[in-house]
Amino acid sequence: VAAARIGTDGQGGIGIAAGIANIDEEAVERIPGQSLDTAKLDGMSSSLAAGFTFDATDRVTLGLGYRLGLTITVDGEWYEQHKEGESKTQPVTVAGIKVRATDNVTLYGSYIREGWDRVESTLAAYPADEGGLDWNPFTEPISTAALGAEVDFAERRFSVRAGWSKEMGAEIENAIVPETSIGFGGTVRFDAYSADVALVREQFVEGGESGQVTNYGLYATVAYEF
């Protein structure tokens, strides 16, 4: 990660994040009365994202970020055959605003657009040209709006936060699509260390019907400030 402040008063900021993305997937197909068919693929690729922030006022910050779609070369055992292929992931654009409403309360808003309609793959279990369904059911991008709030206590030694997001009405019927999520979390800060915990509930749309799949996630993080 590299970042720098720009502008005569340092009110702007730019940053670039580079890393490694990987795919490691395994599938098992169970057909009654027949042996199991399996597929296992893995691959890696470089990843790149860039972002820009601007302090509009002492209390309002605007941000914009973009992560490039990746083309990952994969290989492995594909239904008893060794095959090679490529998988292209979706690009992601994020626009956000942070408002420090008071010295202890910060509000957040963001808009996320994921280009799922631009993903590609050269390998599919049932490709359309062999009489199966098209491997990619996403016919349009997925856009999500999110809101959050954070409250600090005891000179920022403790923080609690809450967030909510909603998918903005993509009409995709042949895939499981995120619908809403809600999360709660908190942070405890020491001199150099901090500990963070969050609980998230996610609800998905499947086949055009709401609430078909629900997931819960518990996340814990320990950080050290150099």
Side-chain angles (χ1 to χ4, degrees), residues 5-13 54-55 58:
R5 302 297 298 184
I6 59 175
T8 55
D9 297 321
Q11 70 271 31
F54 177 73
D55 296 330
D58 292 341

Side-chain angles (χ1 to χ4, degrees), residues 117-184:
D117 56 325
R118 296 171 60 182
V119 301
E120 298 176 358
S121 178
T122 61
L123 295 176
Y126 303 101
D129 59 3
E130 296 181 7
L133 298 174
D134 189 345
W135 71 273
N136 180 15
F138 297 99
T139 56
E140 57 183 302
I142 294 178
S143 299
T144 304
L147 299 174
E150 183 178 56
V151 183
D152 300 322
F153 301 94
E155 298 181 348
R156 297 194 73 249
R157 293 189 65 87
F158 305 96
S159 298
V160 295
R161 62 184 63 89
W164 171 87
S165 69
K166 180 175 178 55
E167 190 272 323
M168 302 301 290
E171 297 181 359
I172 300 173
E173 296 185 354
N174 297 321
I176 298 175
V177 179
E179 183 181 23
T180 60
S181 66
I182 186 170
F184 301 92

Side-chain angles (χ1 to χ4, degrees), residues 6-210:
I6 59 175
T8 55
D9 297 321
Q11 70 271 31
I14 57 174
I16 296 176
I20 299 296
N22 74 291
I23 289 178
D24 187 355
E25 296 185 349
E26 183 172 2
V28 178
E29 184 180 54
R30 294 179 171 85
I31 302 177
Q34 300 182 28
S35 60
L36 299 180
D37 286 333
T38 62
K40 181 174 176 59
L41 295 173
D42 57 57
M44 301 181 70
S45 174
S46 59
S47 174
L48 183 65
F52 172 77
T53 63
F54 177 73
D55 296 330
T57 70
D58 292 341
R59 293 186 176 272
V60 178
T61 300
L62 307 176
L64 181 66
Y66 183 77
R67 191 195 72 189
L68 279 70
L70 311 177
T71 299
I72 303 177
T73 300
V74 297
D75 61 16
E77 297 301 317
W78 189 255
Y79 296 96
E80 300 183 353
Q81 299 182 48
H82 184 85
K83 288 192 174 184
E84 297 181 354
E86 291 183 344
S87 179
K88 184 176 181 180
T89 67
Q90 78 280 14
V92 179
T93 303
V94 179
I97 181 172
K98 179 177 75 172
V99 179
R100 183 167 289 279
T102 69
D103 291 341
N104 298 327
V105 178
T106 306
L107 305 177
Y108 300 88
S110 63
Y111 176 82
I112 305 103
R113 182 181 175 90
E114 300 177 85
W116 282 97
D117 56 325
R118 296 171 60 182
V119 301
E120 298 176 358
S121 178
T122 61
L123 295 176
Y126 303 101
D129 59 3
E130 296 181 7
L133 298 174
D134 189 345
W135 71 273
N136 180 15
F138 297 99
T139 56
E140 57 183 302
I142 294 178
S143 299
T144 304
L147 299 174
E150 183 178 56
V151 183
D152 300 322
F153 301 94
E155 298 181 348
R156 297 194 73 249
R157 293 189 65 87
F158 305 96
S159 298
V160 295
R161 62 184 63 89
W164 171 87
S165 69
K166 180 175 178 55
E167 190 272 323
M168 302 301 290
E171 297 181 359
I172 300 173
E173 296 185 354
N174 297 321
I176 298 175
V177 179
E179 183 181 23
T180 60
S181 66
I182 186 170
F184 301 92
T187 300
V188 179
R189 300 178 180 87
F190 304 96
D191 291 339
Y193 292 91
S194 64
D196 184 280
V197 63
L199 176 64
V200 179
R201 179 184 184 272
E202 300 173 294
Q203 183 171 291
F204 298 81
V205 174
E206 182 179 9
E209 296 187 13
S210 175

